[in-house]
């Protein structure tokens, strides 16, 4: 068995068993029964080295990352609020005022504009077609739906 020393942890291998086999030098004189191929006790140094191993993989780090990501997104949306770029501009809209948009719809418009750098009217038209789903709308924009 090859042991990598890169600090990687393989959760799928946590239930693996290592069995040392061979003929111990002490059995040559008839000390231990079984002969070649029978299990050999693991050296004490190897057992001591196993003591600092982490417990089975708990996905704690991944849960923390997801939690922090959610907190960051929440903070960003609170900080951004309605953007000046999403404010109504009569000349850039072919569909009237933006005053009838909900906050969520204005946020979607802002996000799409930040990604695509398209005009308000183009973004709004695509967002309305896609029920204000930003991912779908951005994909539609890059597919050429205008």
């Amino acid at each position: 068995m090859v042991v990598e020393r890169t600090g990687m942890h393989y959760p799928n291998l946590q239930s693996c068993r290592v069995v040392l086999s061979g003929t111990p030098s002490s059995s040559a004189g008839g000390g231990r029964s079984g002969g070649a191929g029978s299990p050999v006790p693991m050296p004490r140094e190897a057992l001591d080295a196993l003591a600092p191993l982490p417990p089975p993989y708990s996905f704690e780090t991944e849960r923390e990352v997801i939690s922090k990501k959610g907190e960051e997104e929440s903070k960003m949306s609170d900080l951004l609020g309605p953007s000046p770029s999403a404010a109504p501009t009569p000349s850039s809209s072919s569909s009237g005022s933006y005053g009838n948009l909900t906050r969520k719809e204005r946020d979607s418009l802002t996000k799409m504009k930040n990604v695509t750098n398209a005009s308000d009217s183009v973004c709004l038209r695509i967002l309305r077609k896609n029920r204000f789903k930003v991912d779908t709308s951005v994909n539609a924009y890059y597919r050429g739906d205008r």
Side-chain angles (χ1 to χ4, degrees):
M1 176 179 182
V2 177
V3 178
E4 290 190 29
R5 299 191 183 271
T6 60
M8 299 292 290
H9 178 69
Y10 299 94
N12 294 339
L13 300 178
Q14 69 188 13
S15 61
C16 287
R17 214 175 75 164
V18 176
V19 178
L20 299 176
S21 62
T23 307
S25 58
S26 61
S27 68
R32 184 180 168 149
S33 63
S38 58
V40 177
M42 194 168 221
R44 186 79 206 142
E45 301 83 32
L47 292 173
D48 291 341
L50 293 174
L53 287 179
Y57 203 67
S58 66
F59 296 97
E60 194 172 315
T61 303
E62 288 80 357
R63 286 187 189 105
E64 283 181 37
V65 169
I66 291 169
S67 172
K68 286 181 183 178
K69 180 181 178 196
E71 291 171 10
E72 291 295 322
E73 287 176 352
S74 172
K75 287 179 187 176
M76 287 301 290
S77 66
D78 288 345
L79 288 174
L80 290 176
S83 170
S85 64
T89 53
S91 63
S92 68
S93 172
S94 62
S95 41
S97 172
Y98 297 128
N100 60 350
L101 296 178
T102 65
R103 179 183 174 143
K104 186 176 180 181
E105 291 170 342
R106 284 193 308 267
D107 289 346
S108 296
L109 178 63
T110 301
K111 288 176 185 175
M112 184 165 174
K113 283 182 53 84
N114 288 339
V115 172
T116 62
N117 288 325
S119 68
D120 288 352
S121 60
V122 170
C123 290
L124 192 56
R125 187 171 33 254
I126 296 171
L127 282 164
R128 283 186 173 144
K129 283 183 192 175
N130 293 291
R131 297 184 178 158
F132 286 88
K133 294 179 183 169
V134 177
D135 291 345
T136 307
S137 298
V138 168
N139 288 336
Y141 174 83
Y142 285 115
R143 277 194 315 267
D145 297 350
R146 309 240 165 85

